[in-house]
Structures are given as C-alpha cells and as structure tokens.
C-alpha cells in the first residue's frame, strides 16, 4: 500500500453533492482509501472517519456513489463497506474508472453496482509491510490468510462464485472489464452512457503487477502558455548619420 500512496499522493478527490430536501445525492469517491484523517492530511485520500460522517449526514432516499479508486487500507475499506450496508438510503454504485483492491470489496455492500463502459474491477490478495523475526512474520502471514479468506466470503456472497475460483482470481490479481464484472456476478449491469469526463485522476498503478494499460488514463495535455511578446529587433545603426548629427550639434550655426 505504501507504494500506492507514494505514487498517487494527493491525486484524488472526495466530494458530496447533495441539496437539502432533494430525493437524490451523489458522492464522488475518486480517491484512495486511507486509515485515518492524519494519513489523509499527509498522503491525500479519504479516511473512514470522513467518509462515514459525510455519508450519514445524507438524508436523500437514493445515493449515487461514483467510484474511481485504486483502493488502499483493508480495514478502512471494511469500515466504509459497513457504513454503506447499514445506511437507510438506497445506494447505487457507479464504477466510473476503476474499483480496485479495497475499493472492489467495499462496493459489494451497495444495493446496485453499475459499471461504466471501459471501467474495471480488480481483486487481489492482501498486502502488508512487516518486520521482525521468523515467528513474527509467520503470525503476519496467518493474518494475511485470514484477510484473504474474508475477501473470498464477501465476493462469494455478492457474485455467487465458488470460493475456490475466487481464491484463484485473488492470487492472480485479476482485473475484470465492465462486461466481465457483470458476467461473473460482481456487478449488475453496464451503463448505457460513458462515465463523466471530469474524473480528474490519472492513477499511477505501478504498485500492481497486472494492471491493463486501459486502466491508466492519459495525462491531460499541458495548458498552452501565452508567449511573452518579444521586443522588435533594433534597426541597424547608421554610424555615418550619427557622426554627421554629432558634428552639426558641435558647430554653431
């Protein structure tokens, strides 16, 4: 996760668009998922504290959660997932770009999942950074195995896929296209229209091993910079004319 944070520092956005008394609201999760507000302040990203607080303040009957996220913290993702599951509103997830790693399982709690044309969903095994002796590392490996098993249960409940197949997909870091995500039960349908163009995120996905090139949106072209007008080139100096003018000034009329 550290590599993901470093390479995407302060690249995303988290925004809630809601009108008082309106029947629908939109939440933009175009960001990484980090563990705390302190982490978010340094790296960027959205913490579960910020997300859950913003979500629980929405009283609209329908919430559109628009997602373009490379994922992040497992436990932060689980907290967000539970908040989505417990919310009284109908929550419709729109995968506008990618829903990878932690973002892929938190959306499983939504009432409906819609993939934008060209979007991707990715699942993989849990990562960690660890240190210590052999006993410490074995314990950490046991924790990772438990996390992977919990991912399998979450995806199985939503998709109906068998646990053995899901475990294979996790181990392979599997990226599902829009159509494939629907075909395998992770999403409900592909949207008729393309996702909004103002996602504003060019994720660096080098932390992942098998990210398809289609997931990496090209960087916006640099803005044209107006050139500073150049001073006109000086006219060539007529030395004889200057000399005659100087002599004339020196000789009284």
């Amino acid at each position: 996760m550290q590599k993901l944070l470093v390479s995407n520092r302060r690249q995303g956005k988290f925004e809630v668009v809601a009108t008082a008394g309106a029947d629908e609201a939109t939440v933009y999760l175009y960001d990484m998922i980090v563990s705390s507000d302190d982490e978010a302040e340094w790296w960027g990203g959205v913490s579960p504290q910020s997300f859950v607080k913003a979500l629980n303040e929405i009283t609209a009957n329908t919430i559109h959660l628009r997602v373009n996220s490379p994922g992040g913290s497992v436990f932060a993702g689980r907290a967000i997932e539970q908040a989505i599951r417990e919310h009284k509103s109908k929550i419709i997830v729109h995968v506008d770009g990618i829903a990878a790693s932690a973002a892929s399982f938190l959306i499983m709690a939504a009432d409906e999942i819609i993939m934008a044309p060209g979007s991707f969903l990715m699942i993989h095994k849990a990562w960690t950074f660890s240190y210590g002796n052999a006993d410490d590392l074995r314990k950490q490996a046991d924790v990772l195995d438990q996390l992977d098993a919990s991912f399998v249960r979450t995806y199985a409940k939503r998709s109906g896929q068998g646990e053995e197949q899901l475990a294979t997909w996790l181990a392979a870091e599997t990226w599902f296209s829009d159509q494939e995500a629907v075909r395998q039960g992770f999403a409900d349908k592909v949207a008729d229209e393309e996702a909004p163009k103002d996602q504003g995120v060019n994720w660096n996905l080098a932390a992942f091993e098998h990210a398809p090139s289609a997931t990496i949106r090209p960087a916006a072209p640099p803005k044209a910079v107006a050139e500073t007008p150049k001073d006109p080139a000086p006219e060539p100096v007529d030395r004889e004319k200057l000399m005659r003018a100087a002599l004339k000034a020196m000789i009284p009329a």
Side-chain angles (χ1 to χ4, degrees):
M1 178 180 168
Q2 192 74 9
K3 185 176 180 180
L4 187 69
L5 289 175
V6 171
S7 58
N8 291 288
R9 188 173 183 227
R10 299 188 181 281
Q11 291 297 308
K13 74 170 184 177
F14 171 62
E15 183 181 10
V16 177
V17 180
T19 304
D23 195 44
E24 296 189 349
T26 301
V27 178
Y28 291 89
L29 179 54
Y30 286 178
D31 219 335
M32 297 181 295
I33 300 158
V34 295
S35 299
S36 65
D37 288 339
D38 288 340
E39 229 177 44
E41 185 175 352
W42 177 253
W43 296 110
V46 59
S47 69
Q49 296 95 320
S50 297
F51 185 96
V52 174
K53 181 177 183 295
L55 187 70
N56 287 341
E57 288 175 352
I58 300 174
T59 58
N61 290 329
T62 301
I63 298 173
H64 296 276
L65 175 57
R66 309 202 73 100
V67 176
N68 182 14
S69 172
S73 166
V74 170
F75 297 110
R78 285 301 195 191
I80 292 173
E81 174 192 359
Q82 190 62 22
I84 292 171
R85 182 175 290 110
E86 293 179 353
H87 203 280
K88 295 179 180 179
S89 302
K90 178 180 181 180
I91 297 182
I92 303 173
V93 162
H94 305 260
V95 179
D96 289 340
I98 61 173
S101 190
S104 70
F105 66 71
L106 73 83
I107 67 174
M108 296 292 115
D111 296 288
E112 185 177 3
I113 301 174
I114 302 172
M115 304 290 293
S119 62
F120 282 82
L121 183 147
M122 185 274 277
I123 67 175
H124 71 148
K125 298 183 75 171
W127 295 344
T128 190
F129 175 79
S130 188
Y131 61 90
N133 60 34
D135 292 335
D136 296 327
L137 297 180
R138 289 189 186 97
K139 290 177 182 178
Q140 190 65 62
D142 289 340
V143 172
L144 292 174
D145 286 341
Q146 292 172 9
L147 289 174
D148 292 340
S150 75
F151 298 159
V152 166
R153 290 192 295 271
T154 297
Y155 296 128
K157 186 176 181 180
R158 180 84 195 200
S159 68
Q161 295 289 338
E163 292 189 0
E164 184 176 348
Q165 175 62 77
L166 286 163
T168 300
W169 281 334
L170 282 173
E173 186 195 295
T174 305
W175 293 76
F176 299 93
S177 67
D178 51 356
Q179 297 283 353
E180 191 66 16
V182 173
R183 188 176 301 117
Q184 301 299 349
F186 294 100
D188 297 294
K189 65 179 182 179
V190 177
D192 295 330
E193 299 179 355
E194 293 186 359
K197 299 299 183 184
D198 61 344
Q199 295 174 20
V201 184
N202 296 304
W203 295 120
N204 182 333
L205 302 176
F208 302 122
E209 292 184 7
H210 306 299
S213 58
T215 63
I216 306 172
R217 299 173 64 242
K223 295 180 180 179
V225 178
E227 293 186 2
T228 303
K230 297 179 179 179
D231 295 332
E235 295 181 0
V237 177
D238 188 337
R239 295 184 180 276
E240 292 185 5
K241 183 178 179 181
L242 288 175
M243 184 65 71
R244 287 195 299 269
L247 288 172
K248 184 176 180 180
M250 292 166 52
I251 302 172

